Each structure stands twice: as structure tokens, then as C-alpha cells.
Amino acid sequence: ASPDYVDAYIGRAEARRLLVQYDLSIEDCKKIIQIRADDPRGYNCRGSGYQLLKQYEPALRDFNEAIRLNPGFAMAYSNRASAYSGLQQYDRAVQDYSQAIHLRPRNVLFHQKRAAVYNSLKQYDKAIQDYTEAIRLQPNDLRAYLLRASAEDASGDSTGAAADRRHVRESRKKK
């Protein structure tokens, strides 16, 4: 009905990614860029498709362009961080997740993803801090407790890990 309706292409591209139709998703994203080259969502969208195909270099180019067009685009920083993680450039990933958190401090997923990178860097204390913040923001997220328990185990804090696992068991019994 409206061939230049960018939001429809964005929605369909996301649906196609969820259906593991990455190439079709990328085609929708290219259409967004063709319609509105100044819209950072098109580049972020296409970068997400490339990233899922593990084509990190084109993904990084697209995320860079999305950020250039909108330096406040937290999701583009998070997506670029994921691409850096895929390339095992963990320091750069931490920087981008930190920027995403700066822009959207209440986003639990950003904290959890940065914690995962800290785990990869064996910086368990920082990972635990991020998981703790995620739990503070979303206290019913049992997955965050389990992830924090894993980081606590790795750091040598078996008491903290046991407490987190006990909390998860007790919470599941109540349901």
C-alpha cells in the first residue's frame, strides 16, 4: 500500500532475521537505505543481518555509518560491540557496550552482554558488577543470577555462587 514506508521494511527485516532468512532481511535493509540514506536504522538493520551471517567487516561498516548518522543510537553501539566480540576484539566490545550503557543505563541486556565480554577477558569482578546491576534493574531475571554465579565461580567466590544458585532454586519452587 505504501512502498516507501520505512517502518514496514524495518519490521519485515526483523521478522526475516527471526525466521533465519538473513539474505532476505538484508535486502529489506538495503531498500530502507535506498529510500532514506540518512536514516541510521537502515544501516543498523543491514549490519545486524551481516553480523548474523558472521560477515563482521561489512557489519562494522554499517554500524559505523549508523553511529555517524546518529551518535546517540545505543542499539547501534551494542550491535557493533557484538560484532567486535565475534572478531574477539573484546576491548573494543567493552568500549561500545559501555557507550550503549551510558546512553541507555537501564537496559539490562547491555549490562549482561558487557558482562559476557568481561568473562571472555577473565575480568570476573567487572562481570559480576554488571550482572549485579542487571539484577538490580530486573530482580526477577533468574538467568542473570545464574550468569553471575558462573562468574563468581570463575573468580573463586564459591559462597556467592552458591547463594545465587540457591536463590534461583527457591524462586523456581515458588512458581
Side-chain angles (χ1 to χ4, degrees), residues 110-169:
F110 295 166
H111 289 281
Q112 290 180 345
K113 287 183 173 187
R114 186 174 69 178
V117 174
Y118 281 136
N119 276 332
S120 296
L121 290 167
K122 298 185 181 350
Q123 295 179 9
Y124 303 115
D125 290 344
K126 290 180 179 179
I128 291 166
Q129 288 174 1
D130 269 341
Y131 289 131
T132 300
E133 181 62 9
I135 290 166
R136 187 188 71 75
L137 293 169
Q138 201 166 32
N140 296 326
D141 183 354
L142 298 182
R143 183 174 176 269
Y145 283 94
L146 291 173
L147 292 167
R148 184 172 70 179
S150 178
E152 288 165 335
D153 273 336
S155 76
D157 180 7
S158 56
T159 304
D164 279 344
R165 288 189 182 95
R166 188 171 39 259
H167 174 81
V168 170
R169 278 192 309 276

Side-chain angles (χ1 to χ4, degrees), residues 24-53:
L24 291 174
S25 175
I26 289 170
E27 289 306 313
D28 281 339
C29 301
K30 287 179 181 177
K31 185 69 175 170
I32 296 165
I33 293 166
Q34 181 183 25
I35 295 167
R36 290 207 44 211
D38 63 339
D39 189 331
R41 297 176 302 167
Y43 297 97
N44 187 61
C45 174
R46 188 172 67 183
S48 295
Y50 286 136
Q51 182 176 325
L52 289 166
L53 290 169

Side-chain angles (χ1 to χ4, degrees), residues 95-113:
Q95 288 175 357
D96 275 353
Y97 282 130
S98 296
Q99 182 61 23
I101 289 167
H102 173 75
L103 294 167
R104 304 270 314 271
R106 299 191 53 78
N107 187 304
V108 172
L109 193 57
F110 295 166
H111 289 281
Q112 290 180 345
K113 287 183 173 187

Side-chain angles (χ1 to χ4, degrees), residues 40-106:
R41 297 176 302 167
Y43 297 97
N44 187 61
C45 174
R46 188 172 67 183
S48 295
Y50 286 136
Q51 182 176 325
L52 289 166
L53 290 169
K54 298 190 185 324
Q55 297 177 14
Y56 297 117
E57 294 305 327
L60 287 171
R61 282 193 297 273
D62 279 342
F63 297 139
N64 288 339
E65 183 62 12
I67 291 166
R68 186 190 70 76
L69 291 168
N70 179 1
F73 195 172
M75 188 56 72
Y77 283 101
S78 175
N79 289 338
R80 188 172 72 180
S82 292
Y84 283 136
S85 280
L87 292 169
Q88 298 181 348
Q89 296 179 17
Y90 299 123
D91 290 333
R92 289 178 137 185
V94 166
Q95 288 175 357
D96 275 353
Y97 282 130
S98 296
Q99 182 61 23
I101 289 167
H102 173 75
L103 294 167
R104 304 270 314 271
R106 299 191 53 78

